[in-house]
Amino acid sequence: DAGVIQSPRHEVTEMGQEVTLRCKPISGHDYLFWYRQTMMRGLELLIYFNNNVPIDDSGMPEDRFSAKMPNASFSTLKIQPSEPRDSAVYFCASSPGTGSHEQYFGPGTRLTVT
Amino acid sequence: AQKITQTQPGMFVQEKEAVTLDCTYDTSDQSYGLFWYKQPSSGEMIFLIYQGSYDEQNATEGRYSLNFQKARKSANLVISASQLGDSAMYFCAMREIHTGGFKTIFGAGTRLFVKA
């Protein structure tokens, strides 16, 4: 079975532009998580979904960030407008929601906002 | 208050030796889970091992074991017989089951260097 798929792997954009990051979770996993990783702040949870419903978005930095999960196999994280301080690696992860609830991470999207 | 503390920013270990990576946590939840993840230089996050707060035995997964000391709120990762491929960042994480739902909090990480 394929792991978590994220696209694009790298994104370079100019300040003010809209950025959309995409994620396909592992089939059958009920939970999906979006994280941001920076040197300064480490790995931060932005939002997570259960059965396509957002459960906790308290980590979303501000209104410029939004996330959707229209179906069980697809989620997006959108930043509009983007700013240089948004530069980070963004990870998507999914979890089966049973057992130990470990998370399976995608390869990440490295975002650079100039 | 910091919920997960990893006090070792970097660690060195000789190949084939064992190494312990420290992790302490803070929670008032009686039911919680503790995780360790590995992040190689390629960037992906890899799940290694899990310990539930009610598990009486220390978790083991191959060369990885978790030294769980509940009263001290520590969950140290022990890697036996280190290999060059173990060089990576290691993150300790916690999920507070009653108070946090499925939210998982990560520590700052420890970078492990395995020397040949």
Side-chain angles (χ1 to χ4, degrees):
Chain A
D1 188 18
V4 176
I5 299 171
Q6 290 187 247
S7 64
R9 294 293 307 277
H10 302 273
E11 177 79 36
V12 180
T13 190
E14 292 184 350
M15 183 173 63
Q17 296 297 306
E18 177 179 297
V19 175
T20 299
L21 311 181
R22 297 172 176 80
C23 174
K24 177 180 170 55
I26 293 172
S27 177
H29 282 192
D30 294 333
Y31 289 83
L32 184 140
F33 305 81
W34 282 101
Y35 291 91
R36 177 172 68 176
Q37 186 177 36
T38 61
M39 289 292 293
M40 291 297 295
R41 300 175 67 91
L43 196 63
E44 304 173 277
L45 176 67
L46 301 177
I47 185 171
Y48 79 89
F49 296 81
N50 178 25
N51 291 325
N52 315 335
V53 176
I55 302 300
D56 186 339
D57 66 354
S58 59
M60 294 286 263
E62 48 198 272
D63 292 345
R64 297 185 298 108
F65 285 69
S66 62
K68 294 182 180 179
M69 192 166 185
N71 57 63
S73 59
F74 184 65
S75 177
T76 60
L77 178 68
K78 186 176 294 186
I79 308 172
Q80 165 63 20
S82 58
E83 296 182 2
R85 59 189 168 130
D86 301 330
S87 297
V89 179
Y90 291 81
F91 287 102
C92 175
S94 68
S95 175
T98 59
S100 61
H101 308 286
E102 72 272 17
Q103 295 177 26
Y104 296 84
F105 283 73
T109 295
R110 181 173 295 278
L111 173 65
T112 303
V113 184
T114 59
Chain B
Q2 204 164 6
K3 298 250 183 179
I4 296 285
T5 302
Q6 295 181 254
T7 57
Q8 306 152 314
M11 288 278 289
F12 287 87
V13 65
Q14 195 69 38
E15 192 180 12
K16 299 181 185 177
E17 292 185 351
V19 63
T20 298
L21 306 184
D22 294 341
C23 173
T24 58
Y25 59 91
D26 182 29
T27 181
S28 56
D29 200 327
Q30 295 301 308
S31 183
Y32 51 91
L34 298 158
F35 305 81
W36 279 91
Y37 288 83
K38 173 184 178 181
Q39 187 175 38
S41 57
S42 51
E44 74 273 26
M45 295 282 287
I46 303 166
F47 166 71
L48 295 178
I49 196 167
Y50 167 82
Q51 179 86 40
S53 58
Y54 291 115
D55 295 339
E56 296 189 353
Q57 302 234 344
N58 286 342
T60 60
E61 288 287 346
R63 294 186 299 112
Y64 304 109
S65 60
L66 200 153
N67 184 0
F68 181 45
Q69 298 188 42
K70 194 170 183 176
R72 300 176 67 178
K73 294 189 175 178
S74 75
N76 298 339
L77 177 70
V78 180
I79 306 174
S80 62
S82 297
Q83 301 172 356
L84 295 178
D86 294 334
S87 294
M89 279 288 285
Y90 289 83
F91 292 94
C92 180
M94 177 176 66
R95 175 182 160 235
E96 296 169 297
I97 295 170
H98 290 145
T99 58
F102 275 76
K103 186 173 183 175
T104 302
I105 302 164
F106 287 78
T110 294
R111 185 169 293 281
L112 178 66
F113 300 91
V114 181
K115 300 182 290 184

